[in-house]
């Protein structure tokens, strides 16, 4: 009995692995040591280079600081002597320009670093300058130094940011000092420091081009730079912090790094003595370290070459070790491959006894420690009884390798199907054995059974689905169809075979020729996959859509396919859905009109024809006025009916070549090919007239009016998008002119629209930037003449456009919804200011704030008012909220509920602009309000218009009977005041007493008024 083949030796040699590890670790340590030495040397060199640069830049900054201090002491001394000169003050008071001009020219001769000297009065108007005579209406208002001195005249002098001279446009650095007495500003003397004076001095120093010298303000702003640069007011946050600290502590700043103008530079800063200025000397860090970089580069290159040589040597050694190891591994793998095979391997002698079994065979066929060697092959493979085994063995001797299936008996007694490969091996001794390689194919058998079951399920699924299978024999021209869906196509069976011509005859007449041509082309050059969608005729005259997909298979020796197999699907429902989608892609689902997509197609086509025929096109953009009110009050169902009725009425004005489309919402557009300006205007006028007739929806008669914008091709645009956009802009202009009208486009409309959009964007954060403020107009007791209240009026101080009137930005805020945000800010700011006045010792007064309709209708409005009172600490009786008649007459029940909640907070309520709306007196008595404000439109002409006077008396009488206080606004003349006082008005407000004031000015006015009242009370 043969011995079992011994198990394999270790697959790697320990000495080879250890030698390889020693070589790699030694090389890595060498690289680490050399690299560390280079890095340490480089670091010391880096520190030395920076220290040398620190010393050089620091010395230069101190020298320049001393020089600049001496230069600017002369300039500031000259400036201070002029501001204290009694002669200058007298000449300024007399506005003697000629004499002042001479004085300034003489002083300028003693100040070589200045371009000019200028004297301006306390309003900023230039009285005299050394540059020209006479001045001719020159001012320095808006200059930074002047505005700062006007706010704080106690400052000795100021330096400003570099600006351009308004006479010759030359750049200068302004330095100004106040002419003042007793804290009152009388004028300003300003010197224009010439940057060129200092830059010429810099050139004499012989400084290299990389060294930059900057004279800086406390906030880090450049005043004078070298080399010459644009005097851009760039400020580095790091530099600003360091500069501020240096000026505060009067110390030298040393050397630091900063990214200035996109370049990392080494900067030394030194302060000027007794001046809020510093000198900054900087040099590019890369230039300063250029020598160090060159030295490090040469050392690094030498190290790299050395390491490359050592690495090559190491790689050669490792390659030799790898080849030695690979030879040893191949030997052991050959010995081990059979023993570790995933298949069962048995070597069997001619007598049928097992001479060798690999590990997998032992694991599967032997129990525990049972030895397979010596067992009969028939006990392991029952089909190989002795006779069959001998026949198999003899065939193997003839070098015949066989593949057969048999049963394999496992160690637990179970039998599995196996696939066996037999072959004869000759051992080194000359003895022959048969090698049997067995593979368990029970899983494959199960897979095949599952596949058969799956095919059966597929047939069942086809019977229940909208899919049929087909197989076409290209040589015979016959097609086999299978699937119950075939009956839906008018065929009598779910499985039939028929000639290809018979199937083609079943196709729809309009599709038959196309499908036959497609099939012919496929046969000529067979594609990878084929697909065709067409119609088939059903017996009852109906047609159905089918989609056939397939693939050519079974190529012959020439590569030509012999069969075409695939599926046929009923896609009738899909085609109907696609048709429906195509319709809705071009037409509006609600009105049936063309939609936006179709509109652009029609308009582009009309433009192409108009260009050829040289004729105009009219485009009418129609928007329904206040249509949102119908949706909000009656619901969208009623709104949809109104839109359909509007579409029907507009359709009456559409000719055969015209197009009517709905863009969405309540917007419609009409294209009028060939329409001139007169023709388009006539159509628009007819539409406005026709739309004045109410629409009947159910039991209701509803009205809506159109605002129409008109653009004309080619005058207002040659592209569809431009024409529509310009018509839209004209429509908004029509809305701005009162609605229910039409307006032709003009080129300035886009400018106004762009300006409006820009204001809207900036208005969103204006209060966060501190641009919004409140002005306060006094409300005066009509009897005593004392200030008892104030109305808070919003103002916008725009940094570019100046003061923007509320008439410009309040409508924008209303339309965009920003009014809610800034309205909430106005309430909080007014409450805060009222508390500030009280803490300043002023007696409390009522502060009134106007409310917008959208703000008042917010669900959390009452909570916002309560939060404002709590956050600011204002007692609620000192806050008055003004609502207009249009607000209180919208959803009266909800308005009364909101007013009642506000009244419970303790605030005062008033109805503003009373008499201009449509108030119902029956509702008025239910509103919990405290005051009525008579609109200024009645006050303005009451002296000359008896009707206005009668209305005012009636409103006053009404208010008295309802126990309401009366406020008259817009009082501008003494006659108006006398009339209102005699008629019984409680409070007066208007320009006759005071314009709206800033909070500080109002506080001063109120303080004087209350002081006069206290004196009068003591005197009484």
């Amino acid at each position: 009995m043969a011995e079992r083949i011994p198990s394999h030796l270790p697959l790697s040699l320990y000495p080879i692995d250890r030698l390889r590890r020693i070589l790699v670790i030694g090389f890595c340590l060498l690289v680490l040591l050399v690299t560390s030495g280079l890095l340490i040397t480089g670091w010391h060199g880096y520190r030395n280079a920076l220290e040398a640069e620190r010393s050089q830049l620091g010395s230069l900054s101190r020298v320049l600081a001393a020089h600049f201090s001496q230069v600017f002491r002369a300039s500031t001394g000259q400036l201070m002597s002029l501001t204290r000169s009694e002669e200058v003050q007298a000449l300024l008071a007399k506005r003697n320009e000629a004499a002042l001009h001479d004085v300034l020219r003489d002083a300028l001769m003693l100040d070589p670093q200045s371009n000019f000297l200028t004297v301006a009065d306390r309003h900023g108007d230039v009285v005299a300058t050394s540059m020209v005579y006479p001045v001719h209406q020159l001012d320095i208002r808006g200059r930074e130094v002047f505005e700062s001195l006007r706010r704080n005249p106690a400052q000795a002098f100021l330096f400003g940011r570099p600006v351009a001279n308004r006479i010759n446009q030359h750049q200068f650095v302004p330095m100004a000092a106040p002419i003042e007495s007793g804290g009152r500003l009388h004028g300003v003397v300003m010197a224009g420091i010439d940057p060129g004076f200092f830059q010429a001095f810099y050139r004499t120093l012989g400084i290299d081009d990389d060294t930059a010298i900057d004279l800086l303000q406390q906030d880090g702003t450049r005043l004078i730079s070298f080399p010459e640069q644009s005097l851009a007011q760039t400020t580095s946050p790091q530099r600003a912090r360091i500069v501020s600290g240096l000026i505060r502590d009067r110390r030298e700043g040393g050397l630091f790094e900063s990214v200035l103008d996109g370049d990392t530079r080494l900067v030394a800063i030194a302060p000027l003595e007794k001046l809020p200025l510093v000198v900054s000397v900087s040099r590019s860090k890369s230039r300063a370290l250029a020598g160090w970089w060159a030295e490090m580069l040469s050392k690094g290159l030498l190290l790299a070459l050395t390491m490359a040589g050592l690495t090559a040597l190491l790689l050669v050694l490792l390659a030799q070790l790898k080849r030695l190891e690979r030879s040893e591994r191949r030997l052991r793998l050959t010995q081990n491959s059979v023993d570790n095979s995933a298949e069962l391997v048995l070597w069997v002698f001619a007598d049928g006894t097992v001479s060798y079994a690999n590990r997998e065979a032992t694991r599967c066929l032997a129990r525990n420690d049972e030895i397979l060697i010596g067992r009969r092959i028939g006990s392991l493979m029952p089909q190989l009884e002795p006779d069959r085994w001998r026949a198999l063995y003899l065939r193997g001797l003839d070098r015949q390798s066989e593949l057969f299936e048999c049963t394999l008996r496992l160690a637990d007694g179970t039998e599995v199907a196996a696939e066996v490969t037999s072959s004869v091996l000759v051992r080194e001794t000359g003895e022959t054995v048969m090698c049997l390689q067995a593979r368990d194919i029970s899983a494959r058998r199960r897979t095949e059974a599952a596949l058969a079951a799956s095919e059966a399920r597929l047939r069942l699924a086809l019977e229940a689905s909208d899919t049929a299978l087909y197989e076409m024999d290209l040589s015979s021209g016959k097609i086999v169809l299978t699937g119950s869906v075939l009956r839906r196509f008018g065929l009598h069976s779910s499985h039939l075979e028929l000639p290809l011509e018979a199937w083609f005859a079943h196709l729809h007449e309009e599709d038959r020729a196309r499908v036959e041509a497609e099939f012919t082309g496929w046969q000529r050059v067979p594609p990878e996959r084929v697909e065709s969608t067409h119609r088939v005729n059903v017996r009852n005259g109906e047609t159905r859509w089918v989609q056939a997909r397939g693939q050519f298979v079974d190529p012959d020796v020439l590569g030509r396919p012999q069969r075409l197999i695939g599926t046929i699907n009923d896609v009738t429902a899909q085609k109907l859905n696609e048709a429906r989608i195509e319709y809705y892609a071009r037409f509006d689902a609600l009105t049936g009109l063309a939609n936006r997509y179709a509109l652009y197609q029609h308009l582009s086509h009309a433009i192409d024809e108009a260009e050829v025929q040289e004729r105009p096109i009219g485009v009418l953009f129609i928007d329904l006025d206040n249509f949102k009110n119908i949706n909000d009050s009656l619901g969208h169902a009623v709104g949809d009916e109104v839109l359909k009725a509007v579409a029907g009425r507009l359709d009456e004005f559409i000719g055969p070549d015209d197009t009517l489309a709905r863009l969405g919402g309540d917007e419609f557009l009409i294209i009028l090919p060939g329409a001139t300006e007169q023709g388009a205007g006539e159509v628009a006028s007819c539409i406005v007239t026709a739309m004045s007739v109410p629409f009947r929806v159910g039991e209701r008669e509803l009205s809506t009016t159109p605002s129409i914008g008109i653009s004309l091709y080619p005058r207002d645009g040659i592209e569809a998008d431009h024409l529509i956009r310009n018509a839209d802009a004209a429509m908004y202009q029509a809305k701005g002119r009162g609605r229910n009208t039409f307006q032709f486009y003009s080129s300035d409309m886009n400018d106004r629209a762009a300006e409006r959009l820009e204001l809207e964007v900036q208005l969103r954060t204006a209060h966060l930037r501190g641009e919004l403020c409140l002005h306060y107009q006094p409300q005066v007791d009509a009897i005593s003449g004392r200030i008892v209240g104030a109305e808070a009026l919003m103002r916008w101080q725009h940094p570019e456009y100046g003061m923007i009137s509320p008439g410009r930005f309040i409508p924008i805020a209303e339309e965009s919804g920003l009014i809610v945000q800034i309205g909430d800010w106005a309430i909080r700011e007014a409450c805060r200011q009222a508390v500030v006045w009280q803490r300043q010792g002023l007696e409390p007064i009522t502060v009134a704030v106007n409310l917008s309709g959208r703000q008042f209708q917010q669900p959390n409005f009452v909570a916002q008012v309560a939060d404002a009172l709590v956050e600011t600490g204002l007692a609620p009786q000192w806050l008055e909220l003004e609502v207009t008649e249009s607000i209180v007459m919208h959803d009266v029940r909800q308005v009364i509920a909101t007013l009642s909640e506000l009244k419970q907070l303790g605030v005062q309520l008033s109805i503003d602009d009373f008499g201009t709306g449509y108030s119902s007196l029956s509702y008025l008595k239910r509103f919990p309000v405290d005051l009525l404000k008579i609109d200024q439109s009645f006050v303005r002409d009451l002296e000359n218009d008896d009707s206005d006077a009668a209305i005012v008396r009636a409103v006053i009488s009404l208010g008295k009977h309802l126990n309401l206080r009366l406020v008259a606004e817009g009082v501008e003349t003494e006659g108006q005041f006398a009339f209102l006082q005699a008629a019984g008005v409680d409070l007066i407000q208007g320009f006759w007493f005071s314009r709206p004031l800033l909070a500080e000015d109002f506080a001063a006015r109120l303080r004087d008024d209350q002081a006069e009242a206290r004196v009068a009370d003591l005197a009484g």
Side-chain angles (χ1 to χ4, degrees):
M1 186 170 59
E3 296 181 354
R4 181 178 177 180
I5 295 178
S7 59
H8 63 279
L9 296 175
L11 294 181
S12 62
L13 298 177
Y14 175 71
I16 294 177
D17 283 344
R18 183 172 62 181
L19 180 58
R20 180 164 50 225
R21 285 195 295 269
I22 290 173
L23 287 174
V24 173
I25 293 173
F27 179 76
C28 291
L29 288 176
L30 177 62
V31 172
L32 181 62
L33 289 174
V34 175
T35 304
S36 300
L38 178 63
L39 292 177
I40 292 172
T41 304
W43 171 248
H44 285 297
Y46 176 81
R47 296 288 299 273
N48 293 337
L50 284 183
E51 187 61 33
E53 191 68 18
R54 181 193 304 273
S55 176
Q56 183 178 3
L57 292 179
S59 299
L60 182 57
S61 66
R62 289 191 293 273
V63 170
L64 290 176
H67 172 73
F68 287 162
S69 298
Q70 181 179 0
V71 171
F72 277 110
R73 275 199 299 272
S75 295
T76 55
Q78 177 72 6
L79 201 64
M80 298 300 293
S81 65
L82 288 174
T83 60
R84 295 169 183 167
S85 170
E86 294 182 357
E87 178 186 4
V88 172
Q89 295 179 6
L91 294 175
L92 173 62
K94 296 178 183 179
R95 303 185 73 85
N96 189 336
E97 181 182 358
L100 276 174
H101 175 73
D102 295 337
V103 170
L104 295 178
R105 289 185 60 85
D106 293 341
L108 185 64
M109 297 178 64
L110 302 177
D111 193 3
Q113 59 268 25
S114 297
N115 274 334
F116 65 86
L117 290 170
T118 296
V119 175
D121 61 17
R122 63 190 180 91
H123 301 293
D125 296 321
V126 175
V127 178
T129 178
S130 62
M131 298 185 66
V132 296
Y133 176 81
V135 173
H136 296 305
Q137 296 182 348
L138 188 64
D139 67 80
I140 62 173
R141 282 189 296 274
R143 296 289 194 191
E144 179 184 9
V145 293
F146 173 73
E147 297 298 335
S148 179
L149 289 175
R150 184 161 67 173
R151 290 192 297 270
N152 184 12
Q155 302 176 89
F157 58 85
L158 285 177
F159 290 91
R161 301 173 186 269
V163 294
N165 194 306
R166 293 176 178 171
I167 295 178
N168 56 20
Q169 301 303 313
H170 290 172
Q171 293 281 334
F172 70 93
V173 178
M175 180 175 67
I179 303 176
E180 55 89 23
S181 63
R184 183 180 179 86
L185 182 68
H186 299 293
V188 171
V189 178
M190 184 171 70
I193 304 300
D194 182 11
F197 174 83
F198 296 92
Q199 292 162 355
F201 169 72
Y202 296 151
R203 296 188 189 96
T204 64
L205 299 179
I207 299 172
D208 61 84
D209 294 339
D210 186 59
T211 301
I213 302 174
D214 296 299
L215 183 64
L216 309 174
Q217 279 188 299
Q218 187 170 358
D219 62 355
T221 302
R222 292 177 181 167
L223 299 182
I224 302 173
S225 299
F226 180 84
E228 290 87 350
Q229 303 172 1
S230 64
L231 295 177
Q233 300 176 8
T234 53
T235 303
S236 164
Q238 178 186 12
R239 183 171 62 191
R241 290 193 299 271
I242 294 175
V243 170
S244 299
L246 290 174
I247 294 178
R248 182 177 63 252
D249 301 337
R250 311 306 301 172
R251 58 184 174 83
E252 296 179 359
L255 185 71
F256 64 95
E257 292 186 17
S258 178
V259 179
L260 302 178
D261 302 328
D263 181 26
T264 301
R265 302 182 68 83
L266 301 175
V267 185
I269 292 181
L272 273 63
E273 183 179 357
K274 297 182 182 180
L275 291 171
L277 303 174
V278 297
V279 173
S280 166
V281 181
S282 66
R283 184 171 296 153
S284 174
K285 185 177 180 181
S286 60
R287 291 283 294 274
L289 298 176
W292 175 79
W293 273 113
E295 181 182 356
M296 289 300 296
L297 183 61
S298 62
K299 290 180 178 180
L301 181 60
L302 179 60
L303 175 62
L305 292 175
T306 302
M307 290 297 103
L310 293 176
T311 302
L313 178 60
L314 177 65
L315 292 176
V316 170
L317 293 175
L318 292 177
Q320 293 295 332
L321 291 175
K322 187 69 174 179
R323 281 193 291 271
L324 179 60
E325 182 183 22
R326 190 179 298 115
S327 298
E328 186 69 22
R329 187 180 297 272
R330 278 198 299 267
L331 176 60
R332 281 153 180 79
L333 286 176
T334 302
Q335 296 176 349
N336 192 52
S337 59
V338 174
D339 203 25
N340 288 322
S341 174
E343 297 181 345
L344 288 73
V345 179
L346 299 172
W347 291 359
V348 185
F349 288 123
D351 61 359
T353 58
V354 177
S355 65
Y356 165 75
N358 71 347
R359 291 177 179 175
E360 183 66 14
T362 303
R363 184 184 67 82
C364 295
L365 304 178
R367 296 188 185 92
N368 299 328
D369 297 332
E370 180 183 3
I371 298 176
L372 292 178
I373 298 174
R375 290 182 60 179
R376 287 287 181 179
I377 190 62
S379 65
L380 303 176
M381 299 179 182
Q383 284 88 350
L384 295 181
E385 68 278 1
D387 292 339
R388 188 172 181 183
W389 165 252
R390 280 192 296 271
L392 178 65
Y393 193 84
L394 292 175
R395 289 196 300 273
L397 291 177
D398 292 335
R399 301 295 187 266
Q400 294 181 11
S401 179
E402 292 191 23
L403 178 66
F404 60 92
E405 294 183 3
C406 69
T407 301
L408 193 64
R409 183 173 294 154
L410 302 181
D412 58 1
T414 60
E415 294 183 353
V416 298
E419 184 179 68
V420 181
T421 302
S422 67
S423 59
V424 172
L425 302 177
V426 180
R427 306 183 68 174
E428 294 179 355
T429 60
E431 185 180 15
T432 60
V433 295
M434 176 163 280
C435 177
L436 300 177
Q437 293 176 269
R439 292 171 292 279
D440 185 354
I441 61 171
S442 57
R444 190 176 74 186
R445 291 284 179 84
R446 291 192 295 269
T447 301
E448 291 173 351
L451 180 60
S454 176
E455 291 177 350
R457 288 194 297 271
L458 176 60
R459 285 193 296 271
L460 293 175
L462 288 175
E463 295 296 326
S465 68
D466 291 341
T467 302
L469 299 180
Y470 71 88
E471 181 177 351
M472 184 185 302
D473 189 331
L474 300 179
S475 60
S476 65
K478 291 186 177 181
I479 182 171
V480 178
L481 300 168
T482 303
S484 60
V485 73
L486 297 175
R487 293 190 176 91
R488 196 184 303 172
F489 299 157
L491 301 175
H492 56 79
S493 174
S494 61
H495 181 86
L496 51 85
E497 179 178 349
L498 66 162
L500 183 60
E501 292 77 8
W503 172 251
F504 283 158
H506 197 61
L507 302 184
H508 192 277
E509 295 78 6
E510 296 179 1
D511 298 338
R512 188 178 303 148
R514 174 176 60 84
V515 175
E516 290 178 349
E518 290 175 347
F519 182 74
T520 302
W522 295 338
Q523 286 185 303
R524 186 180 303 113
V525 182
E528 183 177 355
R529 297 184 183 277
V530 298
E531 179 177 326
S532 176
T533 303
H534 47 269
R535 289 165 290 178
V536 296
N537 295 315
V538 184
R539 289 179 178 177
N540 57 7
E542 180 188 354
T543 60
R544 300 195 70 84
W545 282 93
V546 298
Q547 184 179 63
R549 290 190 177 99
Q551 183 175 6
F552 289 97
V553 295
D554 294 343
D556 58 13
V557 293
L558 298 178
R560 293 174 300 190
Q562 301 300 303
R563 291 188 302 146
L564 174 63
I565 61 174
T567 61
I568 299 176
N569 292 87
D570 185 356
V571 294
T572 305
Q574 176 183 337
K575 282 293 184 178
L576 293 176
N577 289 333
E578 290 176 355
R580 190 177 297 108
I581 292 172
E582 174 67 17
Y583 175 81
Y584 287 132
R586 301 179 58 83
F587 296 95
D588 178 54
L590 177 64
T591 62
L593 301 178
N595 61 11
R596 183 182 294 270
Y597 173 76
L599 166 70
Y600 272 86
Q601 284 190 326
H602 291 174
L603 183 53
S604 299
H605 179 68
I607 291 174
D608 292 340
E609 290 188 345
E611 183 178 4
V612 174
Q613 301 174 8
E614 298 183 354
R615 65 175 185 175
I617 302 173
V619 177
L620 277 62
F621 196 113
I622 305 169
D623 183 89
L624 302 183
D625 301 327
N626 301 317
F627 179 74
K628 184 177 182 297
N629 294 338
I630 296 177
N631 272 341
D632 292 345
S633 59
L634 301 178
H636 288 275
V638 175
D640 289 347
E641 293 300 321
V642 172
L643 289 175
K644 289 192 285 186
V646 169
R649 192 167 295 180
L650 292 176
D651 191 57
E652 298 174 0
F653 300 94
I654 301 303
D657 297 330
D658 303 336
T659 300
L660 171 61
R662 180 184 177 219
L663 297 181
D666 58 348
E667 296 178 341
F668 297 85
L669 192 135
I670 297 177
I671 304 173
L672 301 175
T676 62
E677 179 175 344
Q678 179 180 355
E682 290 175 354
V683 172
S685 177
C686 293
I687 291 174
V688 171
T689 302
M691 294 288 284
S692 64
V693 180
F695 297 92
R696 186 155 192 92
V697 178
E699 300 299 325
R700 297 183 180 90
E701 283 194 352
L702 302 175
S703 296
T704 182
T705 58
S707 292
I708 305 175
I710 305 174
S711 63
L712 297 173
Y713 170 88
R715 186 188 70 185
D716 302 326
I718 59 174
E719 295 182 3
D721 189 59
H722 291 167
L723 291 171
I724 295 174
R725 185 170 64 246
N726 292 339
D728 187 18
M731 181 273 293
Y732 275 105
Q733 185 70 11
K735 281 187 177 293
R737 295 194 174 185
R739 307 174 188 266
N740 195 26
T741 186
F742 63 90
Q743 181 71 33
F744 285 95
Y745 170 77
S746 60
S747 59
D748 62 339
M749 288 182 181
N750 284 335
D751 296 336
R752 291 197 298 269
E755 179 186 357
R756 181 191 179 282
L757 179 60
E758 180 183 3
L759 290 179
E760 179 182 338
V761 171
Q762 297 182 6
L763 183 59
R764 292 183 182 276
T765 55
H767 67 291
L768 301 177
R769 297 191 303 270
E771 297 174 7
L772 294 183
C773 62
L774 295 180
H775 289 197
Y776 300 88
Q777 187 171 31
Q779 294 179 338
V780 180
D781 185 279
I783 303 302
S784 65
R786 302 301 180 194
I787 298 175
V788 295
E791 181 177 4
L793 302 171
M794 191 179 299
R795 298 292 186 267
W796 185 4
Q797 182 64 46
H798 194 279
E800 181 179 354
Y801 303 133
M803 185 66 73
I804 300 178
S805 69
R808 287 181 63 190
F809 72 85
I810 292 297
I812 295 175
E814 288 277 7
E815 294 178 12
S816 63
L818 293 174
I819 193 66
V820 176
Q821 179 181 349
I822 64 176
D824 180 57
W825 171 85
I827 293 176
R828 295 176 186 272
E829 176 63 18
C831 293
R832 184 197 65 79
Q833 187 59 58
V835 172
V836 170
W837 289 335
Q838 294 178 16
R839 291 175 179 171
Q840 291 175 352
L842 299 173
E843 297 177 9
I845 63 169
T846 302
V847 178
V849 181
N850 290 286
L851 302 179
S852 74
R854 182 172 294 189
Q855 180 186 12
F856 184 80
Q857 293 164 9
Q858 294 300 306
N860 62 338
F861 173 67
V862 177
Q864 289 180 341
V865 175
D867 290 344
L869 293 172
V870 171
E871 290 175 8
T872 59
L874 179 67
Q877 65 266 28
W878 303 118
L879 175 62
E880 176 187 331
L881 300 178
E882 298 184 359
V883 294
T884 62
E885 282 188 275
S886 59
I887 294 177
V888 298
M889 292 311 297
H890 178 77
D891 194 358
V892 175
R893 184 176 302 174
Q894 182 60 42
V895 168
I896 293 175
T898 303
L899 292 176
S900 299
E901 292 181 30
L902 292 171
K903 198 62 184 173
Q904 290 176 2
L905 290 179
V907 302
Q908 299 188 52
L909 302 172
S910 64
I911 297 181
D912 194 15
D913 300 337
F914 186 75
T916 61
Y918 301 95
S919 295
S920 171
L921 299 183
S922 64
Y923 287 132
L924 181 60
K925 66 182 181 180
R926 296 168 55 190
F927 294 146
V929 297
D930 303 286
L931 300 94
L932 291 181
K933 294 194 71 172
I934 303 172
D935 187 68
Q936 60 182 347
S937 62
F938 300 118
V939 175
R940 185 182 303 113
D941 296 325
L942 61 80
E943 294 181 272
N944 305 316
D945 192 323
D946 293 339
S947 297
D948 284 346
I951 291 174
V952 171
R953 290 192 186 96
V955 173
I956 294 173
S957 176
L958 174 64
K960 295 297 183 182
H961 282 84
L962 294 177
N963 294 321
L964 302 176
R965 287 183 295 156
L966 279 302
V967 182
E969 56 183 2
V971 179
E972 298 182 354
T973 66
E974 183 176 3
Q976 293 170 352
F977 169 70
F979 177 91
L980 294 168
Q981 186 183 45
V985 168
D986 299 288
L987 301 177
I988 300 294
Q989 177 182 342
F991 286 180
W992 190 65
F993 295 99
S994 175
R995 293 180 176 273
L997 304 172
L998 291 170
E1000 298 80 3
D1001 298 335
F1002 183 88
R1005 179 75 177 268
L1006 181 61
R1007 186 176 290 106
D1008 294 343
D1009 185 81
Q1010 292 182 353
E1012 292 177 4
R1014 286 194 293 272
V1015 172
D1017 292 341
L1018 293 175

